[in-house]
Amino acid sequence: MSGQLIASIADGVVLAAILAVAAMGFTLQFSLTNVLNLSFGSVMTVGAFVAYLIAVVHLTPWLGIALGGVAGAVTTVVLGRGVLRLYARRRTQLFEMMMVTLGLSLIIDYTVQAISHNNIYGYSVLQGSALEMGPIRVTPVQVGIVILALVVLLATWGALKFTRMGKALRATAVEPGLARACGIPTGRVVLVTWVASGFLCGLAGVVFVISTQSVDYTTGEGFLPLVIAAAILGGVGNLWGAVGASLVMGIVTEVVAGLGQGGYSTVAGFAILVVVLLLRPGAVFGGSEDRQLVL
Amino acid sequence: MQPRKLTLGAALAALSGLLLAACGSTAATSKATLNVGGVIAITGSSSFEGGNLFEGVYPALYEINQAGGVLGHKLALKQVDTRGDPADALPAVQQMLATTSNLVMVAGVDTSSAPTIVPVLNSAHIPMTTVAGESVYDQSPYPYFWRLFPPDSANGTAMALWAKKKGYNRVAAVFGSDPGSQGDLPGNVQSLKALHIPLVANITLTPGQSSYQSQVNQLIAAHPDVIMTEADSGTAGTFFGELKSLGGLVPIIGTQAMDTPPEISAIQSALGPTDFQKYMSMVISAPSQVTPAVTAFNNAVKGDASQIGVSVSQAQQNPFAVVYYDGMIAMALAMVAAKSTDPKVFNSYMSKVCNPGPGKTVVYTFAQGVKALNQGKQIQYFGASGLIDFNKYHNSYGNQEAVSLTSSGAAVPLGTISVQAIEAVKVTGVA
Amino acid sequence: MSAWSFYIGTLLIYFAVDALSAISLNLQFGYAGVVNFGYIVFQAAGAYAAAVVVLGKSAGPGSFQQYVFGAHLPFPLDLVVATLAGALLSLAVGLFSLRRMRRDYQAAMLLIVSLIALQVVSADVPLFNGANGLTGVGWPLGQIFGLSAPASPWVYAAWAVGITIVVYVGVVWLSRSPWGRSLRAMRDHEDAASAMGLNITALRLQVFVIGGAIAGLSGGLLVEYIGAWSPGAWGYAETFVVFTAIFVGGVGNYKGVLLGTLLVPIIFLELPRFLPSIGYPGLTDSLQWVAIGLAWMLCLLFRPRGIIPERRARARRLAATVLEPSPIKEGA
Amino acid sequence: MGPEASAATPPFPMPAGSAPILEVSEVAVGYGGVRAVDGVSLGISPGEVLGVIGPNGAGKSSLLGAIGGQVRASRGRVQLGDRDVTRMMPHQRARLGLMRTFQTTSEFSRMTVFENLVTSAEGNSGASLAAVVLHPHRTAVREREVAERAWSVLERFEMTHTADLYGRELSGGQRRLVEIMRCLMREPRVLLLDEPMVGVAPHLTGKLIDDLRGVAREGLGILIVEHALEVVHRLCDRVVVMAFGKVIAAGAFEEVVKDPQVQSAYLS
C-alpha cells in the first residue's frame, strides 16, 4: 500500500508541475493588475490549439511548445491592452473587471468551439516508454515537465529578483501610485507582465495537453479553478507560494485518486483551500477592498 | 425613457418574427417534403451521439430520395439539439412539434433525454427509431417506440461472455462517469458475477481531468489480463495514452460505443496503429454478411458523403449509423406499404415490413421494397445490420460480435456471441 | 394548434422558473452585491431534493436508478423540501464562502463550488444516480387531480406563474423595506455599512439563504415539470445566462429583471430554433454562446445598469408623513 | 519587545475631573511582519477633540482601524466607557456609539443622501430582517422617527437640498459632510474622523470646524486624524504625534510642534 502512496505522490508532483507553470503566470498577472482574470483558462486553450496545429503540419513539437507560449503572450497582450483598457478607461471597478474577463472567456471558448467543430483532437507528442524506479513509474515527458516547471520557477524568480524590470514590477505591485511617482514606467511594467504571464499561460496550456494527449475547447477552462485555487492558496503575487500550493494540491489530488476515489480527487484539492480558508482566513485573504486597478 | 420603448419594440418584433416563422411553415402544399426530426445531442458532452445519427440518417434519406421518395414525397432531416439534457430537450422537441409541418417520424432521442422525450413523442403520435439503451424500454409501453438495437445491458453481457470465451479471468472495468458510458457498466459487472469471472478493478474516470495517472497505476497494480471499457473519446484517449506510456497495456474490450469514429481515432492516436490493432477489440451488434443491404448502405454513405462529418469508411464502420439507416429505411417502407404518410396509419406497418414470415419477399433496399410492394407483395426488409424481427415491445436485436480494426480501418471479426447466449445470462433490473 | 399550445405553455413555465432565478440573483447581486456565480448549484439542490422525495424509495444499487433519501411526500411537502434544500445548502456554502474577503475572490470561490458540486454529483452514482440523473419524477399536486405535468402544461404554467408572482411580490417588498436599504448600503460600501452598525456577515448570509431558498423552489418546480434532472441541466454556464438577463434588463430593478428574463433565456435562446441551421451541426449553439458573451461585454461597457435601471428612492415619500411642509417640496 | 515599547510611550496626561469615554491602551497592529501601530495608548474625555498627527506611514489610519474594529489589534485593549470593545465587530462598536469616517470617502454612492442617513440611524430597523418581517407596524413607526431625525440633521448642516441626490452626485466636500452627518444619526459617544478636510473647499473648512466644535460641546469625544496643521490647531484641544507606529509626543498643539523629536520626524 505504501508503494501505491509513493507512486501517487510522484504522480502528484507531475500534476503539480503543470499546475505550477499556470499558477505562476496567474499570480504574476493578478498581483500586478489586481484583475482576477477568468479568461486565463481560455488563453491556455488558445496556446494548446496552436501547439496542436504545429503537430498537425508535422513540425517538431518543441516549436509547438514555444509557439504555444508566444500565442498565449500575444492573446494576453491583445486582451489586456485592447479590451481591458477600454473598460479601465470607463472607470470599471476592479470587481466588474473580473466579470469582463468572464465574458471574454465565454467569447474565446465558444469561438474556439465553433472553429474546432466541437471535436476532441488527439495530441500525442514526445511520449516515450516508461521509466521504473521502485513503485514509481514515470515517462520521460513527465520528467521533462517537472524540469520545465523548475526552470520556469528559477527564471521567473531570478528575473523578479535581479533585473531592473523585475524590481520595478514588484514595486508597482505593492504601491502603484508611489511607483509611478518614483518615475517607474508603470505602463511598460504592465506590458511586460502581460507578455510574461501570457507566455507562461500559453506554455501551461501546451504542457497540459501534452499530459492529457488531447485538446478541445474546454481544455483550459476545466483546469482554471485549480490554477486560481493554487494562486490564492499560495498568496497572491507569491511565486514560491504558488509553487508550494501547486505541490500540495497536486499531491492531494493524486493521492485521493490513488485511493480509488477518482471522482473526488479534484474536490480534495479544493477542499484544502476551503480548510485553510476556514481556519485562517487572514492568511489567505489578506488583501483589502481598496486595491486598485493597474492597467 | 427612450431605451425602454426601443427594447419593447425589439421584443415585439422578435415575437412577431416567431409567429411569422410558425405561420410560414404550416402552409403545406401537396407532395410537400416530409420531415424527419433528428432529436439528438448535437452539442454538450454527448455530442458524439449526433454524429452517429447523421452518419446513418443522411445516407438513408439520400437513398430514399434517389429512389423517388416516399409516395412522391421527398424526405428531409430537421436537426433538433437536445444538448443531452432533458431540460433543454423538452422545449426543443415541443418547438419541433409546433413548427414542423409534415413531421412523419423522429430518429434518435439520446439516452439522457429519452425518459422525458419518448412519452411526449408517443402522445403526439410520432413514431421514433431510437438507440436509447435503457432497459426500461425492453418492455416499452409506447406503441410509437421502435428500437433496432440491443439494450446497454445486453452489450455488457456480451462483453462478459466474450471474455469467458477467451479464457480471461482477471477483468478490470474502466468506465467514464458520463451518462453514455455508465449505461453498459451495471450489465457488464453483473454478468461477470453471474459468469464467475473475477473483477479485479472497477475504475471510474471523471471526464476532463489533466491526467489519469493514479488510475492507470491502480489498474496496473491490479494485474488484470483484460480491460473492459467505455469512456468519451477525450477521456479514453488520455487514459489509454497514459496506460501505454506507463507500460500497462493488456487486451482491451470496448463496448459498441467504442466502435464509433471519434473513439477510434482517439484511441488509435493514443496507442499507435500497431498496438491498436493488437490490443483493442470491441463487442458490437454483429454486422450481417455482405448482403445487398450492406452494399446499398455503403453506396448511400458514399453518395451523400458531404452531409456527414467523417470519412466514408468511418461512417460505414459505425454500428450506430447502420442501425439508424435501417430504422429510416424500414419506416419509409412502412409508409409505402400503408400507402399513407399519416403516422397513425403507417406506424403499425413497421413490424409488417420487417419481421420474417411465410410467403414474404425479402428485400434489401428501399427501391426493391417499393417495387415489391407495388406488385402487391408482402415484404420483409432485411437490413444492413441484418435480420430485423420486432418483438411485441418493438425491440429487435440479434447476435453480437467481437471485432478488431486494422490500421486501415477494416473490421476483423473475432467471434460471435449469440443472442440466445446473452439472454441466458440472468441479469436483473439493470438500467 | 395543440402542439403550439404545448410549446408556449412550456416556455411560460421556463419563463417562470428563469424569472425566479433572476429575481433571486437580483436580490443577491443587484441589492446586496453578493456575486453568486454558483447560483445554479442551489437550483440543482432543490431539483434533486424534490425529485427524491417524489420518486419514492430507491431500489438500491444495480437498479434502474439509485439515490438517497427516497420518499413519497405529498404536496406541498415536495416543494417545501426543495426550498429547504436550497436554503440549507446556501447556509452551508455561505458560512465559509461569505466571510470577509474581496468580492472577486468570493465570486471565484462560488464558481469553484459550482464546478466541484457538478463533479461530485456526476461521479457519485449512489447519491443522485450520477451522470445519468434521475427520471420519472411526478407532480404531487397534479396527481391529486389526476393531472400529469407534461400533459397539462397550461395548468402547470398557471401554477408556476402563480408561485412566481407570490415570490416576486415578497422579494420586491423585502427589497423596498428598510432591510433592502441596508443591503444596498452594504453593496455600496461594505466597511462603511459595518461602521454604521450593520452586521454585514448576517445580512450577507440572510440574503444568500433567501436567494438559495428561491433557487431551490425554482429547481423543484422545474424538475416536477420535465420529470428528469441530471448534471447536464446545471452546467456552471447556466448561471451566466441568468446574469446576462439581469445585466440586459437592469440591475437592481425587478421589472427590468423580468424584461431581461424574457429577452435572454426565452426569446434569445429560443429564436435560433426558428432559423435555418447553418454550417455543421452545433455551430449555431457555439455562436449563440459567443453572442451571450458579447452581450455581456457590451452591457458592461455601455449600459452597466441595464435597460431599466435601478429606481431612485425619493425622500419625499417618507418625508410627507413626517414634516409638513416638506423642505423638498419647497426646493423643487 | 513589549516592555521596551511601552517604556518608550510617554505617559498620557488625562484631563482632570472627567473619566475618559474612550481609552486605548498598548494597542499594536501588524501586517505580516510590519508593525504599523506599536503599543499606542491614549484617552479622550467627553467634549474633547483630540488630534492625531504624524508623517505618512506613521500608523494613524491603522490606529483608527484598530479602534473602529476594521483592523485587528494584535495586542492591547480598546475600552469604550466601561465596555471592553477590543474583540468586537465594527457594527457592535457602532451600536455602542463608536462611529467613524474613512480616509477615502465612503458614502453609499447609489443611495440618496437621505437614505445614507436613514440607513445609519440608531434603531434603523433595516439592520434586522426579523424586525422587518415580524413587526411591520413597529418598523413603520421607527422609520418615521428615523426620517424625522434625518431631516433635523440635514437641516442642522444646511444640506436639505441634497436629500434626493445620489452619493456619487455630490462634491467632495459634500461627501465628507454626509459621512459626518451619518455618524451623527446615532448620537455617538465617540467620533473617529479620518482626514475629514480632504476635498473640502477652503471656504467651507471654517464652517466645518465650527460644526465639529459644536458637536463636541454636546458631550461626545472626537478623535481626528488630520494632515492640515492649521485645522488641527483650530479644532483640537490636545494633540498626539505619531511616528513609526509609536506616540512620540502629546500635549497642547503649541507645545508639541516645538518638540525637537516631532520636528525631526516631520523632516525625515
Side-chain angles (χ1 to χ4, degrees), chain B residues 158-168 171 197 226 228 253:
Chain B
M159 289 162 73
L161 283 166
W162 176 243
K164 191 176 179 69
K165 201 165 179 176
K166 292 282 284 181
Y168 295 122
V171 176
I197 305 174
V226 68
M228 307 222 166
I253 302 177

Side-chain angles (χ1 to χ4, degrees), chain B residues 86-87, chain C residues 43-45 47-48 51 132-135 137 219 222-223 226-231 233-234:
Chain C
Q43 186 177 58
Y48 279 120
N132 283 313
L134 302 170
T135 62
V137 185
L222 188 57
V223 78
I226 54 178
W229 194 253
S230 63
W234 49 290

Side-chain angles (χ1 to χ4, degrees), chain A residues 175 195 217-218:
Chain A
E175 198 62 74
V195 171
Y217 81 98
T218 61

Side-chain angles (χ1 to χ4, degrees), chain C residues 214-266:
Chain C
I214 299 173
L217 176 64
S218 76
L221 276 178
L222 188 57
V223 78
E224 288 182 8
Y225 181 61
I226 54 178
W229 194 253
S230 63
W234 49 290
Y236 71 97
E238 311 262 349
T239 306
F240 303 137
V241 176
V242 187
F243 262 105
T244 312
I246 299 179
F247 283 156
V248 170
V251 181
N253 186 307
Y254 287 100
K255 286 197 193 90
V257 161
L258 288 187
L259 175 65
T261 307
L262 184 67
L263 288 177
V264 179
I266 303 297

Side-chain angles (χ1 to χ4, degrees), chain A residues 5-209:
Chain A
L5 188 67
I6 293 168
S8 291
I9 291 174
D11 298 344
V13 172
V14 175
L15 175 61
I18 304 171
L19 191 52
V21 176
M24 283 189 273
F26 189 86
T27 209
L28 205 61
Q29 213 174 79
F30 192 21
S31 67
L32 182 70
T33 62
N34 284 315
V35 177
L36 200 144
N37 183 2
L38 293 178
S39 65
F40 195 83
S42 313
V43 177
M44 278 179 70
T45 309
V46 171
F49 261 99
V50 167
Y52 168 75
L53 292 177
I54 295 295
V56 167
V57 295
H58 299 295
L59 291 171
T60 161
W62 299 104
L63 184 68
I65 294 177
L67 285 187
V70 170
V74 170
T75 318
T76 304
V77 168
V78 168
L79 295 185
R81 278 279 145 135
V83 183
L84 295 190
R85 272 215 170 168
L86 200 64
Y87 284 84
R89 242 179 261 138
R90 295 213 163 218
R91 301 164 145 265
T92 305
Q93 288 168 7
L94 200 62
F95 150 77
E96 285 166 323
M97 210 50 120
M98 180 198 62
M99 312 266 266
V100 172
T101 63
L102 184 67
L104 273 177
S105 110
L106 281 180
I107 294 175
I108 298 173
D109 280 357
Y110 285 96
T111 307
V112 171
Q113 188 192 43
I115 296 171
S116 69
H117 285 216
N118 192 15
N119 280 339
I120 301 170
Y121 299 92
Y123 181 69
S124 300
V125 296
L126 301 172
Q127 305 292 340
S129 52
L131 314 168
E132 226 167 305
M133 292 168 280
I136 301 174
R137 208 184 270 111
V138 290
T139 59
V141 67
Q142 290 175 325
V143 177
I145 289 173
V146 174
I147 293 172
L148 178 76
L150 284 175
V151 170
V152 167
L153 170 65
L154 292 177
T156 316
W157 175 73
L160 280 177
K161 184 105 184 167
F162 300 115
T163 66
R164 275 179 69 91
M165 185 46 86
K167 287 174 191 163
L169 196 154
R170 281 186 297 150
T172 313
V174 175
E175 198 62 74
L178 201 61
R180 212 170 287 136
C182 293
I184 292 176
T186 49
R188 232 178 54 223
V189 172
V190 173
L191 182 65
V192 169
T193 307
W194 285 134
V195 171
S197 65
F199 185 81
L200 289 185
C201 176
L203 192 65
V206 184
V207 171
F208 179 78
V209 293

Side-chain angles (χ1 to χ4, degrees), chain C residues 30-309:
Chain C
Y31 275 77
V34 174
V35 193
N36 188 354
F37 276 174
Y39 175 81
I40 198 71
V41 173
F42 307 105
Q43 186 177 58
Y48 279 120
V52 296
V53 299
V54 167
L55 276 170
K57 220 173 140 41
S58 165
S63 64
F64 166 56
Q65 54 185 359
Q66 50 174 319
Y67 42 84
V68 290
F69 306 126
H72 262 308
L73 294 189
F75 172 81
L77 290 179
D78 51 331
L79 289 183
V80 172
V81 168
T83 311
L84 279 179
L88 287 177
L89 188 65
S90 296
L91 185 65
V93 172
L95 280 177
F96 74 82
S97 66
L98 293 184
R99 306 174 139 235
R100 247 183 86 78
M101 61 165 109
R102 285 170 52 175
R103 286 210 292 163
D104 45 1
Y105 282 27
Q106 219 166 56
M109 267 315 273
L110 286 165
L111 185 62
I112 290 174
V113 165
S114 173
L115 292 160
I116 296 180
L118 197 66
Q119 256 184 20
V120 169
V121 174
S122 304
D124 195 339
V125 177
L127 190 59
F128 295 121
N129 208 34
N132 283 313
L134 302 170
T135 62
V137 185
W139 176 29
L141 178 62
Q143 279 150 14
I144 298 173
F145 308 103
L147 297 171
S148 85
S152 24
W154 284 98
V155 181
Y156 200 89
W159 162 236
V161 169
I163 288 181
T164 306
I165 289 172
V166 171
V167 171
Y168 180 90
V169 170
V171 171
V172 169
W173 178 76
L174 269 180
S175 303
R176 293 204 182 133
S177 77
W179 182 72
R181 196 172 56 211
S182 301
L183 296 183
R184 285 163 56 221
M186 170 170 81
R187 170 198 71 189
D188 283 0
H189 203 296
E190 214 175 279
D191 277 341
S194 117
M196 294 303 120
L198 297 178
N199 185 349
I200 298 300
T201 318
L203 283 177
R204 222 168 12 201
L205 208 54
Q206 285 163 358
V207 81
F208 204 65
V209 170
I210 292 176
I214 299 173
L217 176 64
S218 76
L221 276 178
L222 188 57
V223 78
E224 288 182 8
Y225 181 61
I226 54 178
W229 194 253
S230 63
W234 49 290
Y236 71 97
E238 311 262 349
T239 306
F240 303 137
V241 176
V242 187
F243 262 105
T244 312
I246 299 179
F247 283 156
V248 170
V251 181
N253 186 307
Y254 287 100
K255 286 197 193 90
V257 161
L258 288 187
L259 175 65
T261 307
L262 184 67
L263 288 177
V264 179
I266 303 297
I267 292 184
F268 180 73
L269 290 188
E270 285 298 315
L271 212 51
R273 299 197 207 280
F274 293 88
L275 305 174
S277 61
I278 49 161
Y280 62 91
L283 178 62
T284 321
D285 196 73
S286 307
L287 296 181
Q288 211 169 12
W289 278 105
V290 173
I292 292 253
L294 281 173
W296 173 286
M297 300 277 292
L298 292 176
C299 277
L300 284 173
L301 190 60
F302 294 113
R303 280 203 147 265
R305 308 257 68 85
I307 295 169
I308 312 181

